[in-house]
Amino acid sequence: MLLEPVKSLAPGCISDLAFDRWRGGELDATGCLELTQHLEQCRACTARRDAFDAAAQQFLGRADYPRDVPRLRAELRQRRQRSRVAMTAAAAAAATILFWWPSSPQQHRMDRLKGGPSLGFYVRRGDEVFRGRTGEQVRPGDQLRFTWRSDRPAYLAILSLDAARTVSTYYPPPNAREVLVPTGNEVALEGAVELDAMLGPERLFAISCDRAPNLDTLREQLSSTQQLSAPPNCQIQQLDLFKEPQP
Amino acid sequence: MTQPGDTHDEIYRRYAPAVFRRARRLLGADADAQDVTHDVFLSLFERPSQFAGRSSLATFLYSATTHACLSRIRNAKNRERLLAAHASAAPESHDTLALSKLLELHDVLRRMPDKLARVVVYACVDQLSHAEIAALVGCSRRHVANLLDKAAEWGAPKVELSCC
């Protein structure tokens, strides 16, 4: 059965969104003036304004209202507490390195590639695998597999700095000190990383060098300054992630 | 406009009534609307960066509330809860849809792709302009008109233009 047609607001009348922006203090002086001038002429919009104000007063006047925000804060604290407990209960490393790759063969094309070297990654979440990009919203338990694109071989390291300022080494894997990654369009890097429970922003640093870099020095620099400057004959690419809680 | 010093209390006081109002209109039950309001602000306070850089918190909250409400509507158990809640509820206010119309609307929204469902909510429940919907959904006004035509094929109400 088709629902009955809905009438749009009359031209010039104030939408619910405009009313809400006005009450939120978001309209500039001109917007406020236009809105209030319209209210002086339009009974329908005045009636809607009065209805919205009455509904807002009813919401704010509830006996429960004073407990709303404290309840939100309490739940925020509990969530952060659970994240910290989960982190300390995990292995000493901030991330667990696993090994899997559902599909996708390595590509070793020797064509000339446009642009500089570039880090990419895939995210595995349950049965779902998707390509990630900078700014990606990830979750604790997601697994990341990295790819590298470059037109010349390079020693590669991937470090991570999370919201707690903990530095982790995402690449090379624990059993390798230095890895020379060959040229290719999307070379799949060995190993995958399972994200821990630390929520918030996380920055990845891909350091590619002509010679194997000193990882201890890089980790120390990142840990103490939260920044990395490229050693000689190295390039650094940054990728940002945001770790959100499980829904 | 939110200022850096605005507290959670201030932001909640200014915007929660509107979030609750919309959720109540769309879901039809106070308890569900209260849950959605709580969840929307919990998400905002936990991850304020998801709002960072945007100019209108009201617009952001419209999108977040719609998303939360549609998730609930798609939950089959919500229909049973709504029927039970209305069995003993107070008479409907002018701002609520009749139960039968609301359940029909839910059936339509449940079947639709998410983007279409959101556009239908903004056009038919919030009565927003095509320009406002385009800004919320991130497309052109022309595309909004096309989406509404497509939505009508799914059983959504047609939107008729009014004149003064």
Side-chain angles (χ1 to χ4, degrees):
Chain A
M1 182 201 306
L2 284 179
L3 288 159
E4 289 166 13
V6 168
K7 280 240 185 293
S8 70
L9 285 179
C13 279
I14 304 166
S15 72
D16 289 10
L17 177 57
F19 268 126
D20 291 334
R21 295 193 62 212
W22 177 47
R23 286 304 191 210
E26 293 180 9
L27 297 186
D28 59 18
T30 306
C32 287
L33 183 62
E34 285 173 0
L35 189 144
T36 48
Q37 283 177 341
H38 178 83
L39 285 174
E40 286 167 11
Q41 302 159 19
C42 180
R43 280 189 211 163
C45 285
T46 302
R48 285 172 54 236
R49 178 207 55 196
D50 293 344
F52 287 167
D53 285 350
Q57 288 310 311
Q58 192 176 19
F59 179 86
L60 298 173
R62 291 176 298 122
D64 269 357
Y65 174 74
R67 288 194 285 277
D68 283 358
V69 175
R71 209 176 286 152
L72 283 165
R73 286 203 196 104
E75 192 165 338
L76 277 173
R77 276 196 299 273
Q78 279 175 5
R79 286 188 177 200
R80 284 172 191 151
Q81 191 72 16
R82 280 198 294 266
S83 297
R84 278 197 290 273
V85 167
M87 199 169 76
T88 49
T96 309
I97 302 192
L98 307 171
F99 295 89
W100 62 262
W101 191 241
S103 60
S104 185
Q106 291 195 10
Q107 297 174 0
H108 294 281
R109 287 166 47 186
M110 302 300 290
D111 323 322
R112 212 164 144 162
L113 299 171
K114 288 185 187 170
S118 167
L119 180 73
F121 66 100
Y122 287 81
V123 181
R124 180 179 180 178
R125 181 177 297 157
D127 293 329
E128 190 189 357
V129 176
F130 56 92
R131 183 186 288 274
R133 58 192 68 197
T134 194
E136 190 73 51
Q137 290 186 317
V138 291
R139 300 173 187 169
D142 282 353
Q143 295 169 358
L144 306 187
R145 181 77 183 258
F146 295 101
T147 62
W148 181 247
R149 176 182 179 275
S150 177
D151 61 357
R152 57 188 207 181
Y155 288 93
L156 181 65
I158 303 171
L159 301 183
S160 141
L161 179 71
D162 68 17
R165 300 185 180 181
T166 301
V167 175
S168 301
T169 305
Y170 282 179
Y171 190 83
N175 60 348
R177 284 289 294 174
E178 53 193 53
V179 177
L180 183 66
V181 181
T183 60
N185 192 20
E186 196 177 40
V187 177
L189 303 182
E190 187 190 357
V193 170
E194 181 171 303
L195 298 180
D196 63 16
M198 185 67 222
L199 302 181
E202 184 163 340
R203 177 159 285 179
L204 306 182
F205 299 83
I207 307 110
S208 58
C209 307
D210 295 342
R211 298 179 199 163
N214 186 322
L215 286 185
D216 294 332
T217 304
L218 291 172
R219 277 194 288 264
E220 175 57 37
Q221 185 190 124
L222 189 55
S223 181
S224 57
T225 67
Q226 288 81 58
Q227 289 177 351
L228 263 189
S229 47
N233 301 310
C234 293
Q235 295 182 46
I236 293 183
Q237 180 195 350
Q238 293 179 10
L239 278 180
D240 286 322
L241 306 176
F242 193 94
K243 212 181 294 172
E244 58 177 13
Q246 297 287 356
Chain B
M1 192 81 154
T2 51
Q3 302 297 328
D6 282 347
T7 62
H8 289 167
D9 295 274
E10 177 61 25
I11 291 170
Y12 190 81
R13 187 189 63 76
R14 264 193 273 155
Y15 291 99
V19 170
F20 177 82
R21 184 193 76 232
R22 288 190 69 236
R24 178 67 178 82
R25 190 191 293 165
L26 193 47
L27 297 176
D30 278 0
D32 285 342
Q34 197 62 53
D35 285 347
V36 163
T37 305
H38 177 88
D39 290 346
V40 164
F41 280 94
L42 184 66
S43 174
L44 175 64
F45 293 161
E46 189 171 25
R47 288 186 297 130
S49 62
Q50 63 185 318
F51 167 64
R54 292 177 170 82
S55 60
S56 167
L57 184 51
T59 308
F60 170 79
L61 288 170
Y62 260 59
S63 183
T65 306
T66 304
H67 175 76
C69 288
L70 287 174
S71 293
R72 286 205 163 226
I73 286 168
R74 291 184 183 115
N75 181 342
K77 289 182 187 168
N78 182 64
R79 185 187 176 90
E80 294 160 16
R81 231 183 16 247
L82 186 59
L83 284 167
H86 270 254
S88 55
E92 289 143 3
S93 74
H94 71 282
D95 201 38
T96 57
L97 296 172
L99 176 62
S100 57
K101 283 193 169 56
L102 188 64
L103 289 177
E104 272 181 54
L105 180 63
H106 283 190
D107 283 341
V108 168
L109 292 173
R110 193 177 289 121
R111 288 184 283 113
M112 279 181 170
D114 184 64
K115 192 170 186 177
L116 271 187
R118 286 188 285 138
V119 168
V120 167
V121 167
Y122 295 139
C124 303
V125 180
D126 297 314
Q127 294 180 286
L128 301 187
S129 67
H130 286 195
E132 287 171 320
I133 297 171
L136 276 162
V137 171
C139 68
S140 67
R141 287 163 59 173
R142 186 187 187 93
H143 192 53
V144 169
N146 292 339
L147 287 172
L148 285 171
D149 285 342
K150 206 184 248 188
E153 293 169 19
W154 285 77
K158 281 192 180 289
V159 180
E160 292 177 347
L161 295 178
S162 296
C163 4
C164 283

